[in-house]
Amino acid sequence: MDRLANTVRPYAWGSTTAIPELLGTTPTGEPQAEMWMGAHPGAPSRIDRGTGPVSLADVIDADPEAELGADTVRAFGPRLPFLLKLLAAASPLSLQVHPDLAQAAEGFADEERRGVPIDAGHRNYKDANHKPELIVALTPFDGLCGFRHPAQAAGLLEGLGIDDLKPYVDILRATPEEDALREVLTAVLSAEHHAIAGTVERAAVAADRLAAEAGPHADAYAAYAVLAHHYPGDPGVLAAMLLNHVRLQPGEALFLGAGIPHAYLSGLGVELMANSDNVLRCGLTPKHVDVPELLRVVRFEAGDAGVLRPEDVNGEEVYETPIDEFRLSRFVPAPGAAPHPLDSRTPQILLCTAGTVQLRDADAQAAAGLTLAPGESAFVPAGERIALSGDGTLFRATVVA
């Protein structure tokens, strides 16, 4: 097993304190948005096997089967197929969706054929992979996830008392579900900015007032008012009002599959995703919004946000998702309990988020191993049998065997 040295990304929306508080370090005063654990080429973790720090990506590239196991390489190729993060949001991220595997492959190939530079601001597809995500709250965590039922969205918009929104309300009430959501989202995102900015501002004022009145939708109106404060006049604020607002409690999770519009608003969480950079933005961003491509990818399906809670499987609390590139689980060992062995067939990244956790080689007689404190993590190659104990909380990221 290898202790990981990880990079913290300083995105502007990041909290200045949440990750330092978990790590027990002094805040720098700068945003610390995401700590990456894995082999993503943008910021691979580093390990030291006695010859000095080296990139985990380079170690895997040198002998994929030894590090990942033959089954993982056969299923996903010679690379770690997931990226684990600590994510700390102090202000809202962009409203976005991710393509499915076929859409990503098609879109990437098309942009490659057309010679769109990989770093171009208007490029949609950075790679040919999909990007499903799972976020587990470590603190109360606010987000937007999936479309509300049109009647609910209509009631929310109507409650703002803005005449300019009445056509959208009428569509949401009189048109079949999928068509209604598509028509309103298209209208909002296709509107001329100068024409819709005033509507957004009036909606923001109304949302702020309604949030203070403590009605049944006060939390949702408060979230939309915050969005408008950070992105004044952005049509994405109205698009966000079509989505479910959800507040996760610690331990609860959201799975963001292909085509599901979503945004993280605030809070600290553990995020696990397939190793991809493909993002199509719907708004709440100064970056490129490709409305036609976005509408091709979005799934116009209404429903609740689908909050996940872990299911106990022989002492391992598993967050079940419908994909194979990653699997996230949590261990909270009882103090003094016998060491818990971990399945060794697949590569693993282990992250401590509370207390301390001891990792030991399950086959070794000696007690050598690693002790992880909050925010510390380790990479365990496939085939290495590990047992854990301690009085902390450990998240385990791996693939579906």
Side-chain angles (χ1 to χ4, degrees):
M1 73 193 89
D2 302 282
R3 187 182 298 276
L4 295 177
N6 304 306
T7 298
V8 176
R9 310 306 295 264
Y11 305 133
W13 48 262
S15 168
T16 59
T17 59
I19 289 178
E21 285 176 0
L22 183 68
L23 297 175
T25 59
T26 301
T28 65
E30 299 296 319
Q32 298 190 37
E34 296 182 348
M35 186 175 80
W36 289 18
M37 292 157 279
H40 189 287
S45 300
R46 298 165 304 287
I47 65 174
D48 188 342
R49 292 182 175 173
T51 59
V54 293
S55 160
L56 179 59
D58 290 344
V59 171
I60 292 172
D61 286 346
D63 195 345
E65 289 203 3
E67 304 298 333
L68 305 178
D71 290 344
T72 299
V73 172
R74 188 161 43 248
F76 307 110
R79 65 191 186 99
L80 190 66
F82 60 80
L83 176 64
L84 182 65
K85 299 179 181 180
L86 280 173
L87 184 148
S91 58
L93 283 67
S94 63
L95 186 61
Q96 59 189 254
V97 296
H98 306 301
D100 64 26
L101 196 55
Q103 290 165 340
E106 180 184 346
F108 180 75
D110 174 65
E111 290 185 322
E112 288 289 279
R113 279 194 304 269
R114 292 190 285 117
V116 181
I118 197 70
D119 58 352
H122 64 284
R123 176 144 184 164
N124 293 315
Y125 297 95
K126 308 295 187 183
D127 52 67
N129 200 17
H130 63 168
K131 193 175 181 280
E133 299 174 351
L134 177 71
I135 184 79
V136 179
L138 295 179
T139 66
F141 194 99
D142 273 25
L144 304 173
C145 179
F147 286 107
R148 294 175 180 272
H149 288 287
Q152 295 173 352
L156 201 72
L157 291 176
E158 188 173 46
L160 294 169
I162 307 297
D163 288 343
D164 292 350
L165 297 179
K166 189 176 185 306
Y168 303 147
V169 172
D170 291 344
I171 292 169
L172 290 167
R173 288 216 164 109
T175 310
E177 176 177 286
E178 181 176 337
D179 294 337
L181 294 170
R182 179 183 293 275
E183 189 171 345
V184 173
L185 184 65
T186 302
V188 166
L189 297 183
S190 301
E192 292 291 338
H193 187 274
H194 72 275
I196 203 168
T199 302
V200 174
E201 292 302 314
R202 289 189 291 277
V205 171
D208 197 40
R209 172 178 53 78
L210 290 164
E213 293 178 359
H217 302 298
D219 285 348
Y221 283 130
Y224 302 133
V226 168
L227 292 179
H229 170 74
H230 286 283
Y231 300 98
D234 191 316
V237 174
L238 297 181
M241 292 184 181
L242 300 174
L243 306 185
N244 296 296
H245 170 249
V246 60
R247 177 164 294 162
L248 300 177
Q249 296 305 311
E252 295 181 332
L254 290 175
F255 173 70
L256 294 317
I260 305 300
H262 62 277
Y264 302 146
L265 305 183
S266 65
L268 176 68
V270 174
E271 184 182 40
L272 185 58
M273 63 179 61
N275 215 348
S276 171
D277 292 321
N278 287 327
V279 174
L280 290 160
R281 294 173 178 85
C282 314
L284 310 181
T285 177
K287 296 181 179 179
H288 176 63
V289 177
D290 184 336
V291 174
E293 185 64 15
L294 173 73
L295 296 173
R296 189 178 77 89
V297 168
V298 170
R299 293 184 178 176
F300 292 94
E301 301 169 357
D304 63 32
V307 174
L308 295 177
R309 296 170 182 84
E311 299 179 9
D312 186 273
V313 181
N314 299 320
E316 180 178 16
E317 299 177 348
V318 180
Y319 292 91
E320 295 288 353
T321 64
I323 60 157
D324 295 336
E325 280 90 342
F326 62 69
R327 178 180 186 269
L328 188 66
S329 58
R330 184 179 66 175
F331 293 90
V332 187
H340 192 294
L342 301 183
D343 188 332
S344 64
R345 292 172 294 168
T346 56
Q348 306 170 62
I349 292 180
L350 307 175
L351 167 67
C352 178
T353 59
T356 57
V357 177
Q358 289 77 45
L359 307 177
R360 297 289 183 265
D361 185 335
D363 295 321
Q365 298 299 317
L370 294 177
T371 296
L372 300 182
E376 294 184 334
S377 56
F379 172 70
V380 183
E384 189 169 336
R385 297 181 65 242
I386 296 296
L388 69 91
S389 57
D391 61 356
T393 300
L394 185 83
F395 282 86
R396 174 181 182 244
T398 185
V399 301
V400 176

